[in-house]
Amino acid sequence: MLERAAFFGVAANLVLYLNSGNFHWAGEQASRAALVFLGASYLLAPVGGWLADVYLGRHRAVTLSLLLYLAASGLLLATAIPDGRSSFCGEMPEWPLGPSCPSSDCQRALPSPYCAPTLYATLLLLALAASSFRSNLTSFGGDQVMDLGRDATRRFFNWFYWSINLGAVLSLLVVAFIQQNISFLVGYSIPVGCVGLAFFIFLFATPVFVTKPPMGSQVSSMLKLALQNCCPRLWQRQAARDAQGAHLLPDQRSPQPGPSHEEDVANFQVLVKILPVMVTLVPYWMVYFQMQSTYVLQGLHLHIPNIFPANPTNSFLALSSSSYRFPEAWLLLANVVVVLILVPLKDRLIDPFLLRHGLLPSTLQKMALGMFFGFTSVIVAGVLEMERLQYISHNETVSQLIGKDLYYAAPLSIWWQIPQYLLIGISEIFASIPGLEFAYAEAPRSMQGAMMGIFFCLSGVGSLLGSSLVALLSLPGGWMYCPKDFGNINNCQMDRYFFLLAGIQAVTATLFIWIAHRYERARQGPASQHCASVDRG
């Protein structure tokens, strides 16, 4: 919970921080830095998992990740202090604000972003720490309850995910508000405090933890076996070179500890079955991350009500008209609140009831159900967008000022977006939580850390694919190409984008059900059960 609060505390207003008077980055430059940070925080996850499996062990990997997290977040906090910026970045060049180009053919290059090397290095260190922490703490927590049975593992992942979302609520309600309305110095002090508190709690609880030494990783063996199966000729050449080197000093070679070739082959067969299941979950992540991108864009073009009366008599409320409007990003709380409410309900009431009556679905069946709810969410978003565009086509719009930008919105209330956020929240419970449990429980023990890293990495791939699809459809002639709309999307056809995502999700969900059926049927065979008892204890 504390780490996720710190992570969202950094990520939530990163664009606003870089765009502020502290750095004067252009919007494009700030957005690119935020995308690099978010993408790296997922794509680097396998690195931390592999290091834990081979060298560090999960407990030491979590400890070192928190130390790196503390140092990097402290460095980010230092950039919020004028003396800190001067020490790490030098003096900021004078870039006075001026009018735009006086003529259409003039060209004005953006200045090099101030403090970019320090900030990018800090963000990449934060991303490495967050990804390593996420992949190792998940599997380390599973180790604590592994000997208590499958039901204890399932319940752990339910409450683990509940804690993550509680951290997100704290960031959305408190940290992001302080950063935007008070100061980034106070706002970035809170993530540092959260990481520091998490570090000391983790160390304090060390005596009660089940701590396992690094068991080695079979990633190298898996890659060799994959090469042997996919490219036999290339493998034969490599094997011949290895054989020549192996006979150079035969008497000085000592046997290397580790699993036998038969165990490597058995584990490789397990991974060949696991990876297709995890890869077919990627389109779900494409849908899931819409709530942080196109859903927000859609909400800006719906009627957003005021929190306070239009003409408040209270002078405190009259300080800024932008403070009257309901924060659109708070609709993300609909997703988070669903998780916070349904996880305890599911853990205490629904799952025990289904288990008693023999109706509890398997992990893969839950994941398929999560894909269905994700599909339903994006369909609802598409239908809402069609209705919104109907108002636009009849020239029925309302102008609303959000920050310093003017949006021409349909007179539909933003509350119509709540169903799609609720459906995404329900899909998380059935797709993401069982996905974590599946990646941990089904992987060979020597690769559990790496597999958790691959799980988070694939979620990042889904996010990047969704962004790439938007970029592709924003090219001339695409559904998202509307250059004459001046920042609005009223001349775009985003409803078709939503329906395209729904189609991709439907096709891949069908493929997932077929793969999952084959996987569960293979697990029921006697040979597979023997391998599972060897590889996963």
Side-chain angles (χ1 to χ4, degrees), residues 234-476:
L234 184 61
W235 167 254
Q236 289 173 0
R237 295 175 188 173
Q238 182 66 32
R241 286 196 295 267
D242 291 343
Q244 292 176 358
H247 292 294
L248 291 178
L249 296 171
D251 297 333
Q252 298 181 15
R253 294 170 62 237
S254 59
Q256 296 295 323
S260 64
H261 177 70
E262 289 76 14
E263 289 176 301
D264 285 341
V265 172
N267 289 339
F268 179 74
Q269 292 173 348
V270 173
L271 288 182
V272 167
K273 297 173 184 176
I274 292 175
L275 286 177
V277 175
M278 296 177 67
V279 169
T280 47
L281 198 61
V282 167
Y284 166 76
W285 296 115
M286 293 176 65
V287 171
Y288 174 80
F289 284 108
Q290 298 308 308
M291 70 173 179
Q292 297 172 342
S293 53
T294 54
Y295 283 11
V296 175
L297 192 60
Q298 183 186 50
L300 293 172
H301 294 83
L302 295 169
H303 178 58
I304 302 177
N306 294 331
I307 298 178
F308 304 112
N311 296 308
T313 57
N314 191 327
S315 59
F316 174 76
L317 300 178
L319 292 177
S320 172
S321 61
S322 61
S323 64
Y324 305 160
R325 207 167 289 280
F326 179 86
E328 199 278 338
W330 278 7
L331 278 181
L332 287 171
L333 289 172
N335 163 266
V336 177
V337 168
V338 165
V339 176
L340 292 177
I341 293 175
L342 287 187
V343 164
L345 190 64
K346 182 174 175 292
D347 182 71
R348 297 292 183 181
L349 296 177
I350 299 175
D351 282 354
F353 175 80
L354 294 176
L355 190 61
R356 284 196 301 269
H357 293 81
L359 299 175
L360 185 66
S362 67
T363 301
L364 295 178
Q365 289 171 339
K366 292 177 186 176
M367 293 164 69
L369 190 59
M371 291 182 183
F372 169 76
F373 280 110
F375 165 83
T376 308
S377 172
V378 80
I379 285 288
V380 170
V383 172
L384 177 60
E385 184 65 11
M386 285 181 62
E387 185 67 20
R388 193 189 71 82
L389 290 175
Q390 285 291 326
Y391 283 94
I392 302 299
S393 64
H394 292 92
N395 203 25
E396 297 179 32
T397 61
V398 292
S399 59
Q400 56 187 11
L401 190 66
I402 302 176
K404 296 182 180 179
D405 300 313
L406 185 64
Y407 294 90
Y408 295 95
L412 280 170
S413 173
I414 195 174
W415 307 126
W416 285 105
Q417 276 196 308
I418 289 179
Q420 64 203 55
Y421 279 97
L422 293 177
L423 287 167
I424 279 288
I426 297 172
S427 76
E428 260 192 281
I429 295 172
F430 288 104
S432 187
I433 300 176
L436 282 171
E437 181 186 346
F438 176 82
Y440 173 80
E442 299 299 317
R445 280 199 177 184
S446 59
M447 295 188 65
Q448 283 175 331
M451 288 304 297
M452 296 305 297
I454 292 173
F455 175 84
F456 290 115
C457 178
L458 289 175
S459 65
V461 170
S463 174
L464 294 177
L465 285 177
S467 301
S468 301
L469 185 58
V470 172
L472 180 65
L473 295 177
S474 298
L475 296 175

Side-chain angles (χ1 to χ4, degrees), residues 36 44 64 83 101 132 325 374 387 395 418 432:
V36 167
L44 292 175
L64 294 177
D83 290 341
C101 291
S132 176
R325 207 167 289 280
E387 185 67 20
N395 203 25
I418 289 179
S432 187

Side-chain angles (χ1 to χ4, degrees), residues 39-212:
S41 68
Y42 286 99
L43 295 177
L44 292 175
V47 176
W50 179 79
L51 287 174
D53 286 340
V54 177
Y55 299 110
L56 301 175
R58 288 167 193 153
H59 181 274
R60 191 176 300 171
V62 172
T63 304
L64 294 177
S65 298
L66 285 171
L67 277 174
L68 180 60
Y69 217 131
L70 193 59
S73 58
L75 182 58
L76 184 64
L77 175 62
T79 62
I81 305 171
D83 290 341
R85 285 195 299 275
S86 300
S87 301
F88 288 107
C89 312
E91 295 297 329
M92 184 171 63
E94 292 293 334
W95 293 322
L97 294 175
S100 59
C101 291
S103 61
S104 59
D105 58 346
C106 77
Q107 296 182 355
R108 175 176 293 176
L110 287 174
S112 177
Y114 169 62
C115 201
T118 298
L119 287 170
Y120 270 107
T122 302
L123 293 175
L124 288 175
L125 287 175
L126 275 170
L128 177 61
S131 61
S132 176
F133 179 89
R134 186 189 296 122
S135 59
N136 285 301
L137 187 73
T138 309
S139 52
F140 182 75
D143 289 343
Q144 312 307 306
V145 298
M146 189 175 190
D147 296 335
L148 301 178
R150 193 63 177 262
D151 185 61
T153 302
R154 174 188 59 79
R155 295 188 64 193
F156 163 75
F157 282 105
N158 282 341
W159 287 102
F160 180 84
Y161 213 82
W162 187 87
S163 302
I164 287 175
N165 281 271
L166 186 59
V169 167
L170 292 175
S171 279
L172 286 172
L173 287 179
V174 180
V175 181
F177 175 83
I178 290 175
Q179 289 171 346
Q180 182 171 332
N181 296 283
I182 300 176
S183 76
F184 277 99
L185 177 59
V186 178
Y188 280 146
S189 298
I190 297 176
V192 175
C194 287
V195 175
L197 183 58
F199 176 71
F200 285 110
I201 289 175
F202 189 78
L203 288 185
F204 183 77
T206 295
V208 302
F209 284 145
V210 175
T211 304
K212 299 178 181 180

